[in-house]
Amino acid sequence: MTYETILYEVAEGVAAITLNRPDSLNAFNDQMIAEMRDGLKRCRQSQDVRCVLLTGSGRAFSAGQDLKAVSSRSTDFSIGEHLRKGYNRLILALTELEKPVVAAVNGVAAGAGCSVCLAADIRIASHRASFIQAFSKVGLIPDSGSTWLLTRLVGHGRAYEMAAMADPITADTALDWGLVNQVVPHDQLPEISAAWARRLAEGPTLALGLMKRALYRSATSSLADALLYESHLQEVAGRSEDFQRGLQAFLKKEEPDFKGR
Ligand code: T3D
């Protein structure tokens, strides 16, 4: 697939996916959802990709669903079906990708654009970034995973406040609430987020993927189930080449050279 609404580049183990509809603040139309899903499929399939870095071009991360496209829908259009066939699959492609996903939040992340940020594993925000659960402004409820992901990150009270009031949350408040991992000066965002992504890409990719799976699963399991699942996944990680590399590097007092397998 050739891309018209995203940019896709791989270097040093990092696939950089840039939402690229700056004139509409990188709002999602059907084509952009499809292209991003295709890009993530390539990330899953390629052994050269060991981390994904998401960002937006221009002054926004993403303003969510393209509302201009919504206005031209037929009267019998099913939003539920649109979510099931598009955004839901996109969000699961991010959360089920067994490789780390870093969001470099360069500006406003609103509606489904905010949801996509929440589906990343690490969020690095420019001091100009803001987060808006914009859905209620247009009479909708949070979707694309926001009810689940946001509540787990900030708790019910703050999630409900964001969803009901739809006010912008600044980068500093987002840091205070645990919504982002780091806030950086705007002009340093590309460099700092790329450094996070490169460091993750040099990590033990198999283990980083398994721990992501275990963390998501823990949200809906008992401690006893989580213990069992950890022991099952540790069996897998313990048989990896990277475990041997990590162990040998420790014994030799060297930095491990992980291969991602
Ligand atoms: O239907 C379904 O499929 C269900 C799925 C729903 C998922 C959702 O995401 S619902 C929520 C949709 N998003 C929003 O409600 C946010 C709408 N945008 C805004 O509230 C504001 O634009 C922002 C707060 C994000 C930024 O404000 P500001 O003042 O910095 O920029 P602006 O002037 O409003 O926008 C700049 C341009 O981007 C403007 O175009 P123009 O007038 O210069 O030609 C504006 O129309 C366009 N734009 C911004 N957001 C969207 C958009 N175009 C299409 N869709 C957008 N969501």
Side-chain angles (χ1 to χ4, degrees):
M1 185 186 256
T2 44
Y3 301 139
E4 293 173 342
T5 64
I6 65 167
L7 307 175
Y8 182 94
E9 283 173 356
V10 179
E12 297 181 82
V14 177
I17 299 181
T18 305
L19 306 174
N20 193 29
R21 302 185 68 225
D23 291 346
S24 57
L25 304 188
N26 303 318
F28 280 93
N29 58 11
D30 290 352
Q31 185 181 357
M32 195 161 90
I33 296 172
E35 291 183 4
M36 198 169 158
R37 285 182 55 208
D38 189 80
L40 291 168
K41 186 170 150 200
R42 281 167 69 178
C43 293
R44 177 165 54 81
Q45 290 173 340
S46 169
Q47 292 192 351
D48 293 339
V49 174
R50 291 171 63 187
C51 181
V52 178
L53 178 60
L54 302 177
T55 196
S57 64
R59 68 180 175 91
F61 181 82
S62 168
Q65 168 62 36
D66 188 321
L67 295 174
K68 291 171 187 160
V70 169
S71 65
S72 59
R73 287 172 178 168
S74 63
T75 47
D76 61 351
F77 184 89
S78 163
I79 293 186
E81 199 58 11
H82 186 240
L83 289 173
R84 284 188 287 277
K85 289 200 170 142
Y87 288 108
N88 293 8
R89 291 176 183 174
L90 171 59
I91 296 300
L92 289 176
L94 287 164
T95 59
E96 291 178 357
L97 180 69
E98 295 206 349
K99 298 177 184 183
V101 178
V102 177
V105 192
N106 53 306
V108 63
C114 186
S115 303
V116 165
C117 267
L118 302 179
D121 303 301
I122 300 280
R123 281 160 290 282
I124 311 298
S126 147
H127 74 275
R128 289 189 198 161
S130 61
F131 299 83
I132 314 178
Q133 286 283 305
F135 309 89
S136 67
K137 283 238 158 121
V138 289
L140 294 177
I141 70 156
D143 63 27
S144 310
S146 266
T147 59
W148 198 95
L149 296 161
L150 185 62
T151 307
R152 277 160 181 79
L153 279 167
V154 302
H156 177 95
R158 285 169 171 165
Y160 193 78
E161 176 187 335
M162 284 181 73
M165 313 306 263
D167 288 333
I169 300 299
T170 64
D172 285 338
T173 301
L175 184 65
D176 189 39
W177 288 7
L179 200 54
V180 300
N181 300 74
Q182 190 181 358
V183 177
V184 301
H186 185 71
D187 59 349
Q188 291 175 31
L189 180 69
E191 185 193 327
I192 293 174
S193 56
W196 273 81
R198 276 196 305 275
R199 183 169 164 202
L200 287 162
E202 287 168 1
T205 311
L206 179 79
L208 297 184
L210 294 177
M211 69 180 69
K212 177 169 171 174
R213 203 202 297 177
L215 288 177
Y216 273 115
R217 189 179 155 124
S218 76
T220 55
S221 69
S222 65
L223 174 60
D225 286 342
L227 286 165
L228 265 182
Y229 200 56
E230 284 172 4
S231 55
H232 165 65
L233 294 186
Q234 200 68 297
E235 188 80 45
V236 179
R239 290 176 198 275
S240 68
E241 180 182 329
D242 280 345
F243 176 52
Q244 288 309 319
R245 287 178 171 271
L247 207 52
Q248 292 308 316
F250 173 78
L251 296 173
K252 291 183 195 159
K253 299 187 186 297
E254 291 172 354
E255 279 304 304
D257 177 19
F258 290 125
K259 298 295 179 194
R261 48 186 185 253

